[in-house]
Amino acid sequence: MVKRLASGAAALWAAPAAAPLVPKLADAFRIERRLAGPGVALTFDDGPHPDGTPAILAELARANATATFFLVGEQVERYPEVARAVAAAGHEIALHGYRHTLLLRRTVSELADDLARAAALIEDVTGRSPQVYRPPYGVFSLGGLLHARKHWRPLLWSAWGRDWTPRATPQSVARLATRDLRRGDVVLLHDADHYSADGSWRVTAGALPAILEAVQALGEPFVAASL
C-alpha cells in the first residue's frame, strides 16, 4: 500500500513533465505554448553568453526584430554587461531560473528560493522584472508549475530548432524552426552553450537569418512572448 501511494505521488509530481512534447497535456495543465494574439515570438534560452548573445543580438538588429530572452541567474551574475545589452536593445527579459536544474529533482521550497533569487538578480542587473517563466528543459513538476503560476506566466513553445544538439546545423535548425510556421507560434532557440553542445550558439546564429526571413514572409510582426 505504501509503495502504491509513493508511486502515485511520484506520478502526480511528474504529471506535467511531458507537456513540451504532448500539446494535449500542456492544454490540460493550462501551460501556454502559443500566443493569444498576432505575431511570432522568437525566444532564446540559457543566456546570457559572452559570444552567443551578442551574435544573436546582431542578427535581430539587422532584421529590426524583437525577441524574448529567458535568462539564467548564474549566467547573469557572470555576464551582467551582456544581460544589460539585451535589455538595452529593447528585447523582453524573461526568467529561466537561477540554476539550470531539472524541476523534477527539486522541492517546491528549493525552487521558490531559486526563482526568487534569479528574478531579483535579473531585475537588479537589467532593470526589468520578468513576467514570463520557462523551466530548464521545459519540464515542469506539478509543484513547480503551481508555484510558478503564482508569480509568473508559464510558457513553453510551439516550434523549435533543436539547436542544442551536437548534430545540429544552421540548415537543420532553420528547417525545423520554420516548418509549418504560423501566426501565434512561439519558437524555442538558444543563444548560449552553457548547458548544450559546445559552440551550439554558432549554429543558432547561422540559422537565424533564414528564420527571420520566414517570419517576415508570413507578414507577421516579431513580438514579445508575454503578449
Side-chain angles (χ1 to χ4, degrees):
M1 181 58 131
V2 173
K3 288 184 178 180
R4 285 183 184 176
L5 289 173
S7 178
L12 184 61
W13 180 257
L21 301 175
V22 185
K24 288 185 178 180
L25 186 61
D27 293 342
F29 281 98
R30 297 184 294 108
I31 307 172
E32 294 179 62
R33 301 170 54 252
R34 301 180 53 78
L35 303 175
V40 171
L42 300 181
T43 67
F44 296 89
D45 286 10
D46 295 358
H49 186 280
D51 301 309
T53 306
I56 296 301
L57 290 177
E59 293 297 339
L60 292 171
R62 274 191 274 273
N64 195 29
T66 297
T68 299
F69 287 76
F70 285 84
L71 302 184
V72 179
E74 63 183 356
Q75 304 305 337
V76 172
E77 216 162 45
R78 292 176 67 189
Y79 308 110
E81 69 287 351
V82 184
R84 281 192 286 268
V86 175
H91 300 292
E92 181 177 27
I93 301 297
L95 180 63
H96 204 38
Y98 184 83
R99 301 284 186 199
H100 196 275
T101 303
L102 190 69
L103 263 60
L104 297 179
R105 299 174 180 171
R106 289 181 157 185
T107 65
V108 173
S109 176
E110 290 170 342
L111 177 64
D113 290 344
D114 177 279
L115 295 183
R117 180 182 183 184
L121 174 64
I122 290 169
E123 184 172 3
D124 182 59
V125 170
T126 69
R128 306 279 188 82
S129 178
Q131 303 300 309
V132 185
Y133 170 64
R134 176 181 290 157
Y137 312 105
V139 174
F140 280 103
S141 65
L142 181 57
L145 175 61
L146 294 176
H147 172 77
R149 187 168 277 145
K150 295 176 184 177
H151 305 277
W152 302 277
R153 175 182 157 202
L155 181 69
L156 293 175
W157 58 86
S158 57
W160 62 2
R162 295 186 63 85
D163 54 344
W164 65 89
T165 66
R167 294 185 179 182
T169 66
Q171 294 75 24
S172 72
V173 170
R175 184 175 62 253
L176 284 171
T178 61
R179 185 172 58 190
D180 300 322
L181 191 69
R182 59 196 173 102
R183 180 180 189 174
D185 270 330
V186 176
V187 182
L188 168 65
L189 297 164
H190 297 76
D191 60 318
D193 61 357
H194 304 301
Y195 317 105
S196 56
D198 187 42
S200 58
W201 63 265
R202 293 185 176 87
V203 173
T204 308
L208 196 50
I211 296 171
L212 293 166
E213 288 178 12
V215 177
Q216 290 168 334
L218 281 177
E220 291 291 327
F222 297 98
V223 298
S226 62
L227 294 181

